[in-house]
Structures are given as C-alpha cells and as structure tokens.
Amino acid sequence: MSLLVIEDLSVAYGQIEALRGVSLTVESGEVVAILGANGAGKTTLMRAISGLLPKRRGAVRFDGTDITRAPADRIVCLGIAQSPEGRRVFGTLKVEENLALGGFTRSAHEIRQGLETVFGMFPRLAERRDQLAGTLSGGEQQMLAIGRALLARPKLLLLDEPSLGLAPIMVQSIFRSLREIAASGVTVLIVEQNVRSALKLADRGYVLEVGRIVHEDSAARLLASPEVQAAYLGKA
Ligand code: ATP
C-alpha cells in the first residue's frame, strides 16, 4: 500500500483552477520531487495535502486513511508535517520554542528527544537555541523550519523550496541534512527550484505544468531527459 495516494485532485482559488486532476503516489521510504515552473501549482499541492486548502474534487489518502476533508491538525497527528515555503518561523520566539511548537502533538518526553535529534543534525541551531528566530540567517531559519517539522515525528515530510534564497554553500548543507533525514527512514515529498539537487536526492519525480502532471519518471531518467534539462536545468 502506498503511503500517500492522491487521486484526481483539483484545487481552485475562486475561478482559478491551480490544480487540475492531479494523481500521484508516494511509497513509504521514498523521496519524491515535484518539478514545475513558477505558478505551476507546487505550493498549492503541498498546502492541499497538509489540509490548509480545501479540495474541489478528488481524494487524498494517507497511510490507509482518507484525509481529503481532514483538518490540518489531524493531518499532523496522522503523520504529515510541512516545512513551508518562506520558512515562516515565529520570529519573536526562541529557536527552542519554535522547535517545541512543531511537537504540539507529542509528549514532553518526545519533544525533549526530538530537540536532541534536531540539535544533533543542525549544530548551528544547538548553538543558537536561546536566540530569537527572527535574528537567524536565512539558512539557519530554513534549518529551523525543517527541524520544527521533524519535531512532529512525521512519516511524511513535505518540503516546499528548502533552498530558496540561500547561498550555494548553505544549499549544500541543507541537502546534506535532507539526505540524512531520508536515510533515517522519513518519507519525503519535495518541491525545489534547485532541480538538480532535488533529483539527486529523489528516487522519483513528477513534472507539474499549469496544474497538471505531465510527466513521471525515476529521478535518474528525469535528470538525463533532454526536455527536463532544457526546461529546468538550464541546458539547451
Ligand atoms: P512558485 O514556484 O512561483 O512558488 P508554485 O508552483 O508553487 O509557484 P502556486 O503558488 O501553487 O505555484 O500557484 C499556482 C497558481 O495559483 C498560480 O497561478 C497562482 O497565481 C495561483 N494562486 C496561488 N495562491 C493563490 C491565492 N491565494 N489566491 C489566488 N490565486 C492563487
């Protein structure tokens, strides 16, 4: 049984249909990348899975449960956590407080364990545990957003543009951490402008164009595909 099954999903903002009949699956233990140009509907897909947007048509099943109409907090309880585009950390709270909020469905003991795991993975956050999140650098805030999602102990981690706006060295560092997270057994669905890095991390990928899935393949074949290279990897 697939961990995540999306069938014929449509999501609209008023008259604008941002997703039109999207179907995809994510198997347990996989890393799956969603590629697409600006405005293709990638963020809409992530927010719809998380229960932050209503679905106009179609179904979403997670771990055998129909979550099509489930509220966002229940979806977190079931095991899906999202690191949102633009990070959205709580600037006036400390690093450790931001992380603990990510564990709102967890016991105090699990939160303590989670903090140690995240501080082990991101030593820069450990050094800054009492710093206000709003004063962190962009890369550090990204680590915090990913760490906060991990505090929920998700089975499925949704990552929306984790490398957006970061310097190349920080991008490398974030992707090293993502490899570690994937190797620890967390299933990952990732949206990323940095297509090469995303496909190197991923097992499979889907290409989204104006709200529709137009292509699906192994990450290796997508990386080698002339169409993908021309459209997303800057090669003619
Ligand atoms: P980007 O890479 O630029 O972040 P994206 O693939 O994540 O793009 P979405 O943000 O999902 O794309 O947007 C898909 C479409 O839905 C776009 O045409 C966008 O203008 C529209 N859209 C997104 N959010 C809203 C909203 N709150 N109200 C109206 N239209 C919206």
Short mmCIF file of all heavy atoms in Angstrom, two decimals, residues 96-157:
data_model
loop_
_atom_site.label_atom_id
_atom_site.label_comp_id
_atom_site.label_asym_id
_atom_site.label_seq_id
_atom_site.Cartn_x
_atom_site.Cartn_y
_atom_site.Cartn_z
N GLU A 96 14.49 27.24 20.35
CA GLU A 96 13.98 26.04 21.02
C GLU A 96 12.45 26.07 21.14
O GLU A 96 11.80 25.04 21.01
CB GLU A 96 14.62 25.94 22.41
CG GLU A 96 14.32 24.64 23.08
CD GLU A 96 15.22 24.38 24.28
OE1 GLU A 96 16.41 24.74 24.25
OE2 GLU A 96 14.71 23.81 25.24
N GLU A 97 11.90 27.27 21.33
CA GLU A 97 10.43 27.39 21.43
C GLU A 97 9.77 27.09 20.07
O GLU A 97 8.73 26.44 20.01
CB GLU A 97 10.05 28.80 21.90
CG GLU A 97 10.47 29.06 23.33
CD GLU A 97 10.39 30.54 23.73
OE1 GLU A 97 10.46 31.43 22.84
OE2 GLU A 97 10.28 30.79 24.93
N ASN A 98 10.39 27.56 19.00
CA ASN A 98 9.88 27.25 17.66
C ASN A 98 9.85 25.74 17.44
O ASN A 98 8.87 25.20 16.93
CB ASN A 98 10.77 27.89 16.59
CG ASN A 98 10.32 29.27 16.18
OD1 ASN A 98 9.51 29.41 15.28
ND2 ASN A 98 10.84 30.28 16.85
N LEU A 99 10.93 25.09 17.82
CA LEU A 99 11.02 23.64 17.62
C LEU A 99 9.94 22.93 18.44
O LEU A 99 9.24 22.04 17.95
CB LEU A 99 12.40 23.13 18.01
CG LEU A 99 13.54 23.56 17.07
CD1 LEU A 99 14.88 23.19 17.68
CD2 LEU A 99 13.37 22.90 15.70
N ALA A 100 9.81 23.35 19.70
CA ALA A 100 8.85 22.68 20.59
C ALA A 100 7.42 22.82 20.04
O ALA A 100 6.62 21.88 20.13
CB ALA A 100 8.95 23.27 21.99
N LEU A 101 7.11 23.97 19.40
CA LEU A 101 5.78 24.16 18.82
C LEU A 101 5.50 23.12 17.74
O LEU A 101 4.37 22.67 17.58
CB LEU A 101 5.66 25.56 18.23
CG LEU A 101 5.37 26.67 19.23
CD1 LEU A 101 5.39 28.01 18.52
CD2 LEU A 101 4.01 26.45 19.88
N GLY A 102 6.55 22.74 17.01
CA GLY A 102 6.39 21.71 15.98
C GLY A 102 5.96 20.38 16.58
O GLY A 102 5.38 19.53 15.89
N GLY A 103 6.23 20.19 17.85
CA GLY A 103 5.87 18.93 18.52
C GLY A 103 4.56 19.03 19.28
O GLY A 103 4.37 18.29 20.25
N PHE A 104 3.65 19.89 18.82
CA PHE A 104 2.42 20.12 19.61
C PHE A 104 1.57 18.88 19.78
O PHE A 104 0.75 18.81 20.67
CB PHE A 104 1.61 21.30 19.03
CG PHE A 104 0.87 20.99 17.76
CD1 PHE A 104 -0.46 20.60 17.78
CD2 PHE A 104 1.51 21.12 16.53
CE1 PHE A 104 -1.15 20.32 16.60
CE2 PHE A 104 0.84 20.85 15.35
CZ PHE A 104 -0.49 20.44 15.39
N THR A 105 1.79 17.89 18.91
CA THR A 105 1.01 16.65 19.04
C THR A 105 1.75 15.61 19.89
O THR A 105 1.28 14.50 20.06
CB THR A 105 0.76 16.02 17.65
OG1 THR A 105 2.06 15.75 17.05
CG2 THR A 105 -0.02 16.94 16.75
N ARG A 106 2.93 15.97 20.40
CA ARG A 106 3.81 15.00 21.06
C ARG A 106 3.91 15.24 22.56
O ARG A 106 3.67 16.35 23.04
CB ARG A 106 5.21 15.10 20.43
CG ARG A 106 5.24 14.69 18.98
CD ARG A 106 4.93 13.21 18.86
NE ARG A 106 4.74 12.80 17.48
CZ ARG A 106 4.43 11.55 17.14
NH1 ARG A 106 4.28 10.63 18.07
NH2 ARG A 106 4.26 11.23 15.88
N SER A 107 4.35 14.22 23.28
CA SER A 107 4.52 14.34 24.73
C SER A 107 5.78 15.15 25.04
O SER A 107 6.65 15.33 24.17
CB SER A 107 4.66 12.95 25.35
OG SER A 107 5.89 12.39 24.94
N ALA A 108 5.88 15.61 26.30
CA ALA A 108 7.06 16.38 26.71
C ALA A 108 8.34 15.56 26.50
O ALA A 108 9.36 16.07 26.06
CB ALA A 108 6.93 16.79 28.17
N HIS A 109 8.25 14.27 26.79
CA HIS A 109 9.41 13.39 26.62
C HIS A 109 9.81 13.30 25.13
O HIS A 109 10.99 13.41 24.79
CB HIS A 109 9.06 12.00 27.16
CG HIS A 109 10.11 10.99 26.89
ND1 HIS A 109 11.37 11.04 27.48
CD2 HIS A 109 10.13 9.90 26.08
CE1 HIS A 109 12.08 10.01 27.04
NE2 HIS A 109 11.36 9.32 26.19
N GLU A 110 8.82 13.14 24.27
CA GLU A 110 9.11 13.06 22.83
C GLU A 110 9.69 14.38 22.32
O GLU A 110 10.56 14.39 21.44
CB GLU A 110 7.84 12.70 22.06
CG GLU A 110 7.44 11.26 22.22
CD GLU A 110 6.07 10.95 21.62
OE1 GLU A 110 5.18 11.85 21.64
OE2 GLU A 110 5.88 9.84 21.15
N ILE A 111 9.20 15.49 22.87
CA ILE A 111 9.74 16.79 22.45
C ILE A 111 11.21 16.90 22.86
O ILE A 111 12.06 17.32 22.06
CB ILE A 111 8.90 17.95 23.04
CG1 ILE A 111 7.52 17.99 22.34
CG2 ILE A 111 9.61 19.30 22.87
CD1 ILE A 111 6.58 19.03 22.87
N ARG A 112 11.53 16.47 24.08
CA ARG A 112 12.94 16.52 24.51
C ARG A 112 13.82 15.67 23.59
O ARG A 112 14.89 16.09 23.15
CB ARG A 112 13.08 16.04 25.97
CG ARG A 112 12.85 17.16 26.99
CD ARG A 112 13.35 16.76 28.37
NE ARG A 112 12.69 15.55 28.86
CZ ARG A 112 11.48 15.54 29.45
NH1 ARG A 112 10.80 16.66 29.60
NH2 ARG A 112 10.96 14.40 29.87
N GLN A 113 13.34 14.47 23.28
CA GLN A 113 14.10 13.59 22.37
C GLN A 113 14.26 14.24 20.99
O GLN A 113 15.34 14.23 20.40
CB GLN A 113 13.34 12.28 22.15
CG GLN A 113 13.57 11.25 23.23
CD GLN A 113 12.86 9.94 22.84
OE1 GLN A 113 11.94 9.93 22.03
NE2 GLN A 113 13.32 8.87 23.46
N GLY A 114 13.15 14.82 20.51
CA GLY A 114 13.16 15.45 19.20
C GLY A 114 14.15 16.61 19.15
O GLY A 114 14.86 16.80 18.15
N LEU A 115 14.18 17.40 20.23
CA LEU A 115 15.12 18.54 20.27
C LEU A 115 16.55 18.02 20.15
O LEU A 115 17.36 18.58 19.40
CB LEU A 115 14.96 19.31 21.59
CG LEU A 115 13.70 20.17 21.73
CD1 LEU A 115 13.59 20.75 23.13
CD2 LEU A 115 13.69 21.29 20.70
N GLU A 116 16.86 16.95 20.88
CA GLU A 116 18.23 16.42 20.82
C GLU A 116 18.56 15.93 19.41
O GLU A 116 19.65 16.16 18.90
CB GLU A 116 18.43 15.31 21.86
CG GLU A 116 18.48 15.81 23.30
CD GLU A 116 19.17 17.18 23.45
OE1 GLU A 116 20.33 17.31 23.03
OE2 GLU A 116 18.53 18.13 23.95
N THR A 117 17.60 15.26 18.78
CA THR A 117 17.83 14.77 17.40
C THR A 117 18.12 15.94 16.46
O THR A 117 19.07 15.93 15.68
CB THR A 117 16.59 14.01 16.89
OG1 THR A 117 16.30 12.99 17.82
CG2 THR A 117 16.82 13.41 15.51
N VAL A 118 17.27 16.98 16.56
CA VAL A 118 17.42 18.12 15.64
C VAL A 118 18.71 18.89 15.95
O VAL A 118 19.44 19.30 15.03
CB VAL A 118 16.18 19.03 15.71
CG1 VAL A 118 16.42 20.35 15.00
CG2 VAL A 118 14.98 18.32 15.10
N PHE A 119 19.04 19.05 17.22
CA PHE A 119 20.29 19.75 17.56
C PHE A 119 21.51 18.94 17.12
O PHE A 119 22.54 19.51 16.75
CB PHE A 119 20.34 20.05 19.06
CG PHE A 119 19.41 21.17 19.48
CD1 PHE A 119 18.79 21.14 20.71
CD2 PHE A 119 19.17 22.24 18.64
CE1 PHE A 119 17.94 22.17 21.11
CE2 PHE A 119 18.31 23.28 19.02
CZ PHE A 119 17.69 23.23 20.24
N GLY A 120 21.39 17.60 17.12
CA GLY A 120 22.48 16.76 16.62
C GLY A 120 22.65 16.94 15.11
O GLY A 120 23.76 16.98 14.59
N MET A 121 21.53 17.08 14.44
CA MET A 121 21.56 17.20 12.98
C MET A 121 21.99 18.60 12.54
O MET A 121 22.68 18.77 11.54
CB MET A 121 20.15 16.91 12.47
CG MET A 121 19.98 16.94 11.00
SD MET A 121 18.32 16.38 10.60
CE MET A 121 18.44 14.65 10.95
N PHE A 122 21.56 19.61 13.30
CA PHE A 122 21.88 21.00 12.96
C PHE A 122 22.60 21.66 14.14
O PHE A 122 21.96 22.39 14.94
CB PHE A 122 20.61 21.79 12.66
CG PHE A 122 19.81 21.30 11.49
CD1 PHE A 122 18.57 20.71 11.68
CD2 PHE A 122 20.29 21.43 10.18
CE1 PHE A 122 17.82 20.27 10.60
CE2 PHE A 122 19.54 20.99 9.10
CZ PHE A 122 18.31 20.40 9.31
N PRO A 123 23.93 21.46 14.27
CA PRO A 123 24.66 22.05 15.40
C PRO A 123 24.52 23.57 15.47
O PRO A 123 24.56 24.14 16.57
CB PRO A 123 26.11 21.65 15.13
CG PRO A 123 26.04 20.48 14.20
CD PRO A 123 24.78 20.65 13.41
N ARG A 124 24.32 24.21 14.34
CA ARG A 124 24.15 25.68 14.36
C ARG A 124 22.92 26.08 15.14
O ARG A 124 22.86 27.17 15.73
CB ARG A 124 24.05 26.25 12.95
CG ARG A 124 25.38 26.23 12.21
CD ARG A 124 25.14 26.54 10.75
NE ARG A 124 25.01 27.97 10.55
CZ ARG A 124 25.79 28.66 9.73
NH1 ARG A 124 26.76 28.04 9.06
NH2 ARG A 124 25.60 29.94 9.56
N LEU A 125 21.90 25.25 15.10
CA LEU A 125 20.69 25.54 15.89
C LEU A 125 20.95 25.29 17.37
O LEU A 125 20.45 26.02 18.23
CB LEU A 125 19.51 24.69 15.42
CG LEU A 125 18.97 24.97 14.03
CD1 LEU A 125 17.75 24.09 13.76
CD2 LEU A 125 18.60 26.45 13.86
N ALA A 126 21.75 24.27 17.66
CA ALA A 126 22.07 23.96 19.06
C ALA A 126 22.80 25.14 19.69
O ALA A 126 22.47 25.57 20.81
CB ALA A 126 22.92 22.70 19.14
N GLU A 127 23.74 25.71 18.95
CA GLU A 127 24.49 26.86 19.47
C GLU A 127 23.58 28.06 19.69
O GLU A 127 23.90 28.96 20.46
CB GLU A 127 25.57 27.30 18.47
CG GLU A 127 26.70 26.31 18.29
CD GLU A 127 27.43 26.55 16.95
OE1 GLU A 127 27.25 27.61 16.32
OE2 GLU A 127 28.18 25.62 16.55
N ARG A 128 22.48 28.10 18.95
CA ARG A 128 21.59 29.27 18.98
C ARG A 128 20.25 28.95 19.61
O ARG A 128 19.25 29.62 19.32
CB ARG A 128 21.40 29.77 17.54
CG ARG A 128 22.67 30.31 16.91
CD ARG A 128 22.56 30.46 15.40
NE ARG A 128 23.71 31.13 14.84
CZ ARG A 128 24.88 30.56 14.62
NH1 ARG A 128 25.07 29.27 14.92
NH2 ARG A 128 25.89 31.25 14.10
N ARG A 129 20.18 27.98 20.48
CA ARG A 129 18.87 27.52 20.96
C ARG A 129 18.08 28.61 21.68
O ARG A 129 16.85 28.58 21.68
CB ARG A 129 19.00 26.26 21.82
CG ARG A 129 19.81 26.43 23.07
CD ARG A 129 20.33 25.10 23.60
NE ARG A 129 19.26 24.16 23.91
CZ ARG A 129 19.46 22.84 24.03
NH1 ARG A 129 20.65 22.30 23.83
NH2 ARG A 129 18.48 22.06 24.36
N ASP A 130 18.79 29.58 22.29
CA ASP A 130 18.09 30.64 23.03
C ASP A 130 17.96 31.93 22.22
O ASP A 130 17.48 32.94 22.72
CB ASP A 130 18.82 30.95 24.34
CG ASP A 130 18.73 29.78 25.29
OD1 ASP A 130 17.64 29.15 25.33
OD2 ASP A 130 19.72 29.46 25.96
N GLN A 131 18.42 31.89 20.95
CA GLN A 131 18.36 33.10 20.12
C GLN A 131 16.94 33.26 19.55
O GLN A 131 16.27 32.26 19.24
CB GLN A 131 19.38 32.94 18.98
CG GLN A 131 19.64 34.20 18.18
CD GLN A 131 20.81 33.99 17.20
OE1 GLN A 131 21.78 33.29 17.50
NE2 GLN A 131 20.69 34.57 16.03
N LEU A 132 16.51 34.51 19.38
CA LEU A 132 15.20 34.74 18.76
C LEU A 132 15.27 34.33 17.28
O LEU A 132 16.22 34.70 16.56
CB LEU A 132 14.79 36.21 18.87
CG LEU A 132 14.54 36.73 20.29
CD1 LEU A 132 14.05 38.18 20.25
CD2 LEU A 132 13.53 35.86 21.03
N ALA A 133 14.26 33.59 16.84
CA ALA A 133 14.31 33.03 15.48
C ALA A 133 14.40 34.12 14.42
O ALA A 133 15.02 33.93 13.37
CB ALA A 133 13.09 32.15 15.25
N GLY A 134 13.80 35.30 14.70
CA GLY A 134 13.82 36.39 13.72
C GLY A 134 15.21 36.93 13.46
O GLY A 134 15.43 37.61 12.45
N THR A 135 16.15 36.64 14.34
CA THR A 135 17.52 37.15 14.16
C THR A 135 18.44 36.10 13.52
O THR A 135 19.62 36.35 13.34
CB THR A 135 18.13 37.59 15.51
OG1 THR A 135 18.26 36.44 16.36
CG2 THR A 135 17.27 38.64 16.20
N LEU A 136 17.90 34.93 13.16
CA LEU A 136 18.72 33.92 12.48
C LEU A 136 18.94 34.32 11.03
O LEU A 136 18.12 35.03 10.45
CB LEU A 136 18.01 32.56 12.50
CG LEU A 136 17.76 31.89 13.85
CD1 LEU A 136 16.92 30.62 13.62
CD2 LEU A 136 19.08 31.52 14.53
N SER A 137 20.00 33.80 10.43
CA SER A 137 20.21 33.99 8.99
C SER A 137 19.17 33.18 8.23
O SER A 137 18.50 32.30 8.81
CB SER A 137 21.61 33.50 8.60
OG SER A 137 21.64 32.09 8.58
N GLY A 138 19.06 33.45 6.93
CA GLY A 138 18.09 32.72 6.11
C GLY A 138 18.31 31.22 6.16
O GLY A 138 17.35 30.44 6.29
N GLY A 139 19.55 30.80 6.06
CA GLY A 139 19.85 29.37 6.09
C GLY A 139 19.52 28.74 7.43
O GLY A 139 18.98 27.63 7.50
N GLU A 140 19.81 29.48 8.48
CA GLU A 140 19.51 28.97 9.82
C GLU A 140 18.00 28.87 10.03
O GLU A 140 17.50 27.93 10.64
CB GLU A 140 20.15 29.87 10.88
CG GLU A 140 21.67 29.77 10.90
CD GLU A 140 22.37 30.96 11.57
OE1 GLU A 140 21.67 31.90 12.03
OE2 GLU A 140 23.60 30.97 11.58
N GLN A 141 17.27 29.86 9.48
CA GLN A 141 15.80 29.80 9.59
C GLN A 141 15.25 28.59 8.82
O GLN A 141 14.28 27.96 9.24
CB GLN A 141 15.17 31.09 9.05
CG GLN A 141 15.41 32.26 9.98
CD GLN A 141 14.60 33.49 9.59
OE1 GLN A 141 13.74 33.45 8.73
NE2 GLN A 141 14.90 34.60 10.25
N GLN A 142 15.90 28.28 7.69
CA GLN A 142 15.46 27.11 6.94
C GLN A 142 15.69 25.83 7.74
O GLN A 142 14.85 24.94 7.78
CB GLN A 142 16.19 27.04 5.59
CG GLN A 142 15.67 25.95 4.69
CD GLN A 142 14.20 26.12 4.37
OE1 GLN A 142 13.79 27.10 3.79
NE2 GLN A 142 13.37 25.17 4.80
N MET A 143 16.87 25.75 8.38
CA MET A 143 17.14 24.59 9.25
C MET A 143 16.07 24.50 10.33
O MET A 143 15.59 23.41 10.66
CB MET A 143 18.50 24.74 9.94
CG MET A 143 19.67 24.66 9.00
SD MET A 143 21.18 25.07 9.91
CE MET A 143 22.33 25.21 8.55
N LEU A 144 15.70 25.65 10.87
CA LEU A 144 14.71 25.68 11.95
C LEU A 144 13.35 25.21 11.44
O LEU A 144 12.65 24.44 12.12
CB LEU A 144 14.61 27.10 12.52
CG LEU A 144 13.65 27.31 13.68
CD1 LEU A 144 13.94 26.35 14.83
CD2 LEU A 144 13.71 28.75 14.18
N ALA A 145 12.98 25.65 10.24
CA ALA A 145 11.67 25.23 9.69
C ALA A 145 11.65 23.72 9.46
O ALA A 145 10.63 23.06 9.73
CB ALA A 145 11.40 25.98 8.39
N ILE A 146 12.75 23.17 8.98
CA ILE A 146 12.82 21.72 8.77
C ILE A 146 12.81 21.00 10.13
O ILE A 146 12.08 20.03 10.34
CB ILE A 146 14.09 21.34 7.97
CG1 ILE A 146 14.02 21.94 6.56
CG2 ILE A 146 14.24 19.82 7.89
CD1 ILE A 146 15.32 21.86 5.78
N GLY A 147 13.60 21.53 11.06
CA GLY A 147 13.66 20.93 12.40
C GLY A 147 12.30 20.96 13.08
O GLY A 147 11.87 19.98 13.69
N ARG A 148 11.59 22.07 12.92
CA ARG A 148 10.26 22.20 13.54
C ARG A 148 9.32 21.12 12.98
O ARG A 148 8.56 20.49 13.73
CB ARG A 148 9.71 23.60 13.26
CG ARG A 148 8.39 23.89 13.91
CD ARG A 148 7.91 25.28 13.60
NE ARG A 148 7.80 25.51 12.16
CZ ARG A 148 7.58 26.68 11.58
NH1 ARG A 148 7.43 27.76 12.33
NH2 ARG A 148 7.50 26.80 10.28
N ALA A 149 9.39 20.90 11.67
CA ALA A 149 8.54 19.84 11.07
C ALA A 149 8.94 18.47 11.62
O ALA A 149 8.08 17.62 11.88
CB ALA A 149 8.66 19.87 9.55
N LEU A 150 10.23 18.25 11.84
CA LEU A 150 10.68 16.94 12.34
C LEU A 150 10.20 16.68 13.76
O LEU A 150 10.05 15.52 14.16
CB LEU A 150 12.21 16.85 12.29
CG LEU A 150 12.83 16.73 10.90
CD1 LEU A 150 14.34 16.71 11.02
CD2 LEU A 150 12.33 15.46 10.20
N LEU A 151 9.98 17.75 14.54
CA LEU A 151 9.52 17.58 15.92
C LEU A 151 8.16 16.88 15.97
O LEU A 151 7.79 16.29 16.98
CB LEU A 151 9.47 18.93 16.62
CG LEU A 151 10.60 19.27 17.60
CD1 LEU A 151 10.47 18.47 18.89
CD2 LEU A 151 11.97 19.03 17.00
N ALA A 152 7.41 16.95 14.87
CA ALA A 152 6.12 16.25 14.82
C ALA A 152 6.32 14.75 14.62
O ALA A 152 5.35 14.00 14.63
CB ALA A 152 5.25 16.82 13.70
N ARG A 153 7.57 14.32 14.41
CA ARG A 153 7.90 12.92 14.10
C ARG A 153 7.08 12.42 12.92
O ARG A 153 6.35 11.41 13.03
CB ARG A 153 7.63 12.03 15.30
CG ARG A 153 8.52 12.30 16.47
CD ARG A 153 8.69 11.00 17.16
NE ARG A 153 9.47 11.13 18.35
CZ ARG A 153 9.76 10.11 19.14
NH1 ARG A 153 9.30 8.92 18.87
NH2 ARG A 153 10.49 10.28 20.19
N PRO A 154 7.16 13.09 11.78
CA PRO A 154 6.29 12.73 10.66
C PRO A 154 6.74 11.43 9.99
O PRO A 154 7.92 11.09 9.98
CB PRO A 154 6.48 13.90 9.70
CG PRO A 154 7.86 14.40 9.98
CD PRO A 154 8.07 14.20 11.45
N LYS A 155 5.74 10.75 9.42
CA LYS A 155 6.07 9.64 8.49
C LYS A 155 6.35 10.23 7.13
O LYS A 155 7.11 9.68 6.35
CB LYS A 155 4.87 8.70 8.36
CG LYS A 155 4.56 7.94 9.62
CD LYS A 155 3.35 7.03 9.38
CE LYS A 155 2.86 6.53 10.71
NZ LYS A 155 1.42 6.35 10.73
N LEU A 156 5.67 11.34 6.83
CA LEU A 156 5.87 12.03 5.54
C LEU A 156 6.23 13.49 5.82
O LEU A 156 5.48 14.20 6.50
CB LEU A 156 4.58 11.97 4.71
CG LEU A 156 4.58 12.77 3.40
CD1 LEU A 156 5.62 12.23 2.42
CD2 LEU A 156 3.20 12.74 2.75
N LEU A 157 7.37 13.91 5.28
CA LEU A 157 7.83 15.29 5.44
C LEU A 157 7.63 16.00 4.11
O LEU A 157 8.14 15.55 3.07
CB LEU A 157 9.32 15.28 5.83
CG LEU A 157 10.03 16.62 5.95
CD1 LEU A 157 9.41 17.47 7.05
CD2 LEU A 157 11.52 16.40 6.23
#
